[in-house]
């Protein structure tokens, strides 16, 4: 271990690397969000507005923005240059587990959130509105993530499933694709009689999305194989692979094709619930951490454990990899 950052109160629940600068953003169980410079190991800023633990955090790829999600049911977007919260997104009805900016957030100003209210939500952070409510899980949604390059989302839930969602419809709709007659929805006209989506129509659609969900995002696969709740799921950066981590102490690998997804293998070795897993950005490795107080590194092709990290008295909840 290169360096270890101590912070007085509390456990770190969310982690994100800045894409360019030597920064880590850590969201804590005591409600504080800390910005660390990892070269010198110091806190360079802190943000406090959430009421209770903050579990999700992410950096925008290009703009000076941070998004956070907390146990106060709030998603907050912060400007770290202005050093303040810009706005709050409301809609979730329970703890928020993860938040993420879209990988191509300049073209798609989207935030993805996962919540204990059993839904995922997609938000437009420029319009500050909810785009879509993704329903289908029947227990807490512990994690949700965008695919780095395709129109896909993965989610993991305590209902023992991993779901892969297809966002092609939403992307086409956002880019003014042929959803209705001329973009917008069919039969919707604005005040001047122009077809398309007016402010009033957009509000009506927002209400509709709130009540019934939308069909802009559809479930592509439901992956069943874990026999306890699933805490985490992650896409491989380039290959059609998924990794998932669960309370059955296992890390599973899954492969996807255009039409189906299937379990490839199970990585066994953890002695307690596995809380998080990710693919190494450059090497064929999976890293996982568990309530057995260990971090394990696995070889994806050989499907065996290659290294275990433990520190006396330390527990680990969350992992992040620099892209």
């Amino acid at each position: 271990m290169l360096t270890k950052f101590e912070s007085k109160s509390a456990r770190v629940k969310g982690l994100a690397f800045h894409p360019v600068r030597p920064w880590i953003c850590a969201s804590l169980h005591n409600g504080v969000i800390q910005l660390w410079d990892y070269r010198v190991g110091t806190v360079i800023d802190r943000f406090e507005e959430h009421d209770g633990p903050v579990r999700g955090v992410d950096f925008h790829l290009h703009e000076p923005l941070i998004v956070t999600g907390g146990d106060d049911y709030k998603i907050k977007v912060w400007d770290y240059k202005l050093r303040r919260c810009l706005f709050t997104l409301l809609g979730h009805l329970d703890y928020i587990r993860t938040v993420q900016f879209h990988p191509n957030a300049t073209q798609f100003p989207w935030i993805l959130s996962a919540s204990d209210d059993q839904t995922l939500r997609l938000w437009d952070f420029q319009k500050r509105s909810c785009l879509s409510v993704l329903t289908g899980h029947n227990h807490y949604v512990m994690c949700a993530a965008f695919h780095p390059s395709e129109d896909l989302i993965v989610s993991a839930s305590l209902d023992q499933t991993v779901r892969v969602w297809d966002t092609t419809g939403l992307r086409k709709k956002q880019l003014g694709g042929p959803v209705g007659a001329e973009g917008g929805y069919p039969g919707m006209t604005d005040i001047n009689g122009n077809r398309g989506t007016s402010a009033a129509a957009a509000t009506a659609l927002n209400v509709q999305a709130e009540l019934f969900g939308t069909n802009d995002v559809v479930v592509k696969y439901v992956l069943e194989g874990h026999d306890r709740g699933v805490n985490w799921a992650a896409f491989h950066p380039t290959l059609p692979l998924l990794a998932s981590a669960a309370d059955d102490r296992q890390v599973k690998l899954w492969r996807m094709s255009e039409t189906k997804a299937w379990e490839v293998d199970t990585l066994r070795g953890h002695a307690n619930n596995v809380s998080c897993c990710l693919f190494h950005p450059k090497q064929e490795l999976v890293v996982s951490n568990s309530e057995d107080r260990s971090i394990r590194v696995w070889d994806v092709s050989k499907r065996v454990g290659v290294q275990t990290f433990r520190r006396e008295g330390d527990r680990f909840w969350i992992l992040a990899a620099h892209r």
Side-chain angles (χ1 to χ4, degrees):
M1 185 178 277
L2 298 174
T3 41
K4 178 179 172 182
F5 303 129
E6 295 280 7
S7 65
K8 282 292 167 276
S9 122
R11 309 191 286 266
V12 175
K13 289 294 178 180
L15 272 181
F17 277 101
H18 190 279
V20 184
R21 296 179 184 182
W23 293 354
I24 296 171
C25 199
S27 60
L28 308 187
H29 197 266
N30 64 2
V32 177
I33 297 126
Q34 294 180 331
L35 196 54
W36 291 82
D37 184 317
Y38 57 76
R39 282 183 310 191
V40 287
T42 54
V43 176
I44 52 177
D45 214 340
R46 51 192 282 139
F47 305 98
E48 298 181 64
E49 249 186 54
H50 278 287
D51 196 10
V54 184
R55 298 174 192 274
V57 64
D58 193 28
F59 277 106
H60 192 286
L61 208 56
H62 306 295
E63 294 173 41
L65 301 177
I66 295 168
V67 60
T68 57
D71 284 12
D72 54 6
Y73 313 175
K74 291 174 182 170
I75 296 169
K76 289 181 177 288
V77 175
W78 312 75
D79 186 313
Y80 56 73
K81 278 190 180 165
L82 299 176
R83 304 182 64 191
R84 65 183 180 91
C85 176
L86 299 178
F87 56 89
T88 302
L89 299 168
L90 299 172
H92 278 300
L93 306 171
D94 207 334
Y95 296 174
I96 295 161
R97 295 282 174 172
T98 62
V99 286
Q100 189 194 356
F101 284 111
H102 192 281
N104 183 7
T106 34
Q107 189 176 17
F108 300 103
W110 298 354
I111 289 168
L112 171 64
S113 57
S115 168
D116 285 8
D117 66 12
Q118 308 185 10
T119 70
L120 296 76
R121 282 175 182 249
L122 280 162
W123 311 79
D124 184 318
F125 63 83
Q126 284 177 354
K127 295 178 181 161
R128 304 181 186 186
S129 63
C130 182
L131 290 170
S132 192
V133 183
L134 283 58
T135 57
H137 283 297
N138 53 37
H139 207 312
Y140 302 165
V141 186
M142 300 298 284
C143 141
F146 286 111
H147 191 280
S149 57
E150 295 180 34
D151 292 325
L152 297 173
I153 286 168
V154 66
S155 60
S157 168
L158 294 191
D159 66 10
Q160 307 182 13
T161 71
V162 172
R163 285 174 180 252
V164 177
W165 312 75
D166 188 335
T167 57
T168 313
L170 187 64
R171 174 177 57 84
K172 287 180 175 168
K173 181 178 155 192
Q174 290 296 296
L175 294 174
V179 181
E182 298 164 28
Y185 273 75
M188 287 230 172
T189 55
D190 66 13
I191 305 153
N192 304 319
N194 300 321
R195 294 183 76 84
T197 312
S198 67
T203 309
L205 289 174
N206 245 342
V207 173
Q208 185 186 333
E210 288 284 326
L211 291 172
F212 307 112
T214 57
N215 58 359
D216 302 327
V217 183
V218 293
V219 178
K220 195 166 186 185
Y221 319 116
V222 179
L223 307 180
E224 297 175 312
H226 285 290
D227 46 29
R228 293 274 174 87
V230 190
N231 295 311
W232 206 263
F235 286 114
H236 189 282
T238 52
L239 300 172
L241 292 175
L242 280 166
S244 58
D247 285 348
D248 58 11
R249 307 177 180 186
Q250 297 173 357
V251 176
K252 286 188 185 286
L253 295 174
W254 314 78
R255 184 173 283 278
M256 302 180 293
S257 71
E258 255 320 298
T259 52
K260 61 183 196 292
W262 62 97
E263 188 180 324
V264 176
D265 213 343
T266 301
L267 307 174
R268 293 181 177 87
H270 280 298
N272 208 330
N273 301 349
V274 191
S275 27
C276 186
C277 66
L278 51 79
F279 286 98
H280 191 285
K282 298 185 176 66
Q283 299 176 42
E284 289 307 300
L285 300 170
V286 167
V287 187
S288 60
N289 77 277
S290 162
E291 290 177 32
D292 66 10
R293 298 174 176 243
S294 77
I295 294 170
R296 288 178 183 255
V297 184
W298 314 80
D299 184 308
V300 173
S301 47
K302 296 182 185 145
R303 295 168 195 160
V304 292
V306 290
Q307 202 165 1
T308 303
F309 297 100
R310 269 196 190 86
R311 280 177 71 91
E312 211 45 57
D314 277 357
R315 299 161 71 194
F316 307 104
W317 280 276
I318 188 79
L319 297 164
H322 197 294
R323 292 184 182 85

